[in-house]
Amino acid sequence: MAQALVLERQRVLSLREIDLPWRMGPGMVRIRMDVVGICGSDVHYYRHGRIGPFVVDRPMVLGHEGAGTVVECGPGVSHLRPGDRVCIEPGVPDFSSAESRLGLYNLDPSLTFWATPPEHGCLTPEVIHPAALVWPLPEGVSQAEGAMVEPLAVGMQAVTRARVRAGDVAVVLGSGPIGIVTALCALAAGCVRVLIVDPAQEKTRIAAQYDGITALEPGDSGLAPQVLAATGGRGADLVFECSGAAAAYAGVAGLLRAGGQLVCIGMPVAEVPVDLVALIVREIRVVTSFRYANVYDRAIALMAGGRIDVKPLISATYPFARAIEAFERADAARPDDVKLQIAFGG
Ligand code: ZN
């Protein structure tokens, strides 16, 4: 039995003992959790008890954005040792599946993911996880930053999938944590400028504190003229759709230059009507991006090298004992909150 933050059912959280199914064995490591970030998906499960087909029909431990310290290595683990500070990929694929053997382990249909029913998450003082999905943090990258690698990896996957070229101008639709980290990854990948927009202007103001990121004024008619004005009438090379809002797709072709790329990251809750003709006649390349594969090491290196600074995105940190309060604050969705984190120990 272990203490954990448990989502009992929709809107009911408790901090209590629970039996966790993880066991040590070959290739596994035991990790003491230090910091866990609260993700939009954790809050969504709390509010609605489900995300699409994934339904919380029994108590589930929340949390999947984790950093910790290795306390024990199972047989055959060679790249980690007790005491290593690490961050953790929360999705566990079958490494022998057809998708994994293509390098697309994020798309393995048998993949289990922390805090996606029925899998428990990492808001508990200790987890056991495959060492292959555990990444050491270099000196200079804190545990709080380590817990930001998971959302950063989503942005890394998007810019990797999209083939960003040096000097590109990108538009990012949505200025939540994923929108902002995608903007930072786009800049690190070579974009010279990122234009970001969100109905919540407090959020775009936070994003625009970074060099290279400019906030656009939200509004139904005003977006294309602003993008054209900012790109000498040409249109953006890339649009990263990070909001998941169906409305974001209306008129999206009008933001892009001929031959530009529309990168779909935000997960819509329903079918999205898209004006395909508008995309075809401008040869817009549509790219989709889901979670991440093979990007953690590069995300960590960008942090360690000072190329991406996620520290300004951490809005507040709560001790584990006050984890429920942290979720209530996340649920309240204060417009100036980007990422809330929960810290274990002292
Ligand atoms: Zn997340």
Side-chain angles (χ1 to χ4, degrees), residues 156 159 164 182-191 302 307-308:
M156 290 294 291
V159 301
V164 177
T182 299
L184 297 177
C185 291
L187 290 169
C191 282
L302 286 165
R307 296 280 298 277
I308 289 183

Side-chain angles (χ1 to χ4, degrees), residues 110-131:
S110 72
L111 178 133
T112 59
F113 199 92
W114 274 347
T116 298
E119 199 68 16
H120 288 300
C122 64
L123 271 163
T124 184
E126 247 182 39
V127 300
I128 294 172
H129 209 67

Side-chain angles (χ1 to χ4, degrees), residues 232-321:
R234 193 183 55 141
D237 299 285
L238 303 131
V239 170
F240 292 98
E241 204 308 293
C242 298
S243 72
Y249 283 92
V252 76
L255 308 180
L256 281 160
R257 70 163 170 86
Q261 302 183 76
L262 169 61
V263 190
C264 310
I265 304 150
M267 194 64 84
V269 291
E271 267 184 54
V272 176
V274 175
D275 183 351
L276 209 46
V277 173
L279 299 176
I280 291 171
V281 298
R282 293 176 64 71
E283 286 194 346
I284 302 303
R285 189 165 171 263
V286 178
V287 178
T288 57
S289 187
F290 182 57
R291 292 179 178 157
Y292 38 76
N294 311 305
V295 300
Y296 258 54
D297 50 349
R298 290 182 294 123
I300 294 165
L302 286 165
M303 275 187 192
R307 296 280 298 277
I308 289 183
D309 181 8
V310 294
K311 291 189 292 293
L313 306 180
I314 301 166
S315 308
T317 305
Y318 286 72
F320 181 57

Side-chain angles (χ1 to χ4, degrees), residues 39-41 64-65 150-151 339:
C39 180
S41 71
H64 64 258
E65 304 179 354
E150 197 276 341
K339 179 61 68 183

Side-chain angles (χ1 to χ4, degrees), residues 24 28 63 76 95 142 157 188 193 205 219 235 289 300 339:
M24 279 300 282
M28 304 296 281
F95 283 109
S142 67
Q157 178 79 0
R193 210 167 156 210
R205 269 197 289 276
S289 187
I300 294 165
K339 179 61 68 183

Side-chain angles (χ1 to χ4, degrees), residues 157-247:
Q157 178 79 0
V159 301
T160 307
R161 295 270 302 144
R163 299 182 209 154
V164 177
R165 293 180 310 174
D168 275 353
V169 176
V171 171
V172 171
L173 304 177
S175 188
I178 295 301
I180 298 177
V181 296
T182 299
L184 297 177
C185 291
L187 290 169
C191 282
V192 68
R193 210 167 156 210
V194 175
L195 313 169
I196 195 164
V197 67
D198 194 289
Q201 282 182 279
E202 295 86 349
K203 293 203 186 304
T204 50
R205 269 197 289 276
I206 293 166
Q209 286 167 7
Y210 286 96
D211 285 342
I213 302 181
T214 309
L216 299 176
E217 296 290 321
D220 298 335
S221 55
L223 212 50
Q226 291 176 72
V227 172
L228 293 173
T231 55
R234 193 183 55 141
D237 299 285
L238 303 131
V239 170
F240 292 98
E241 204 308 293
C242 298
S243 72

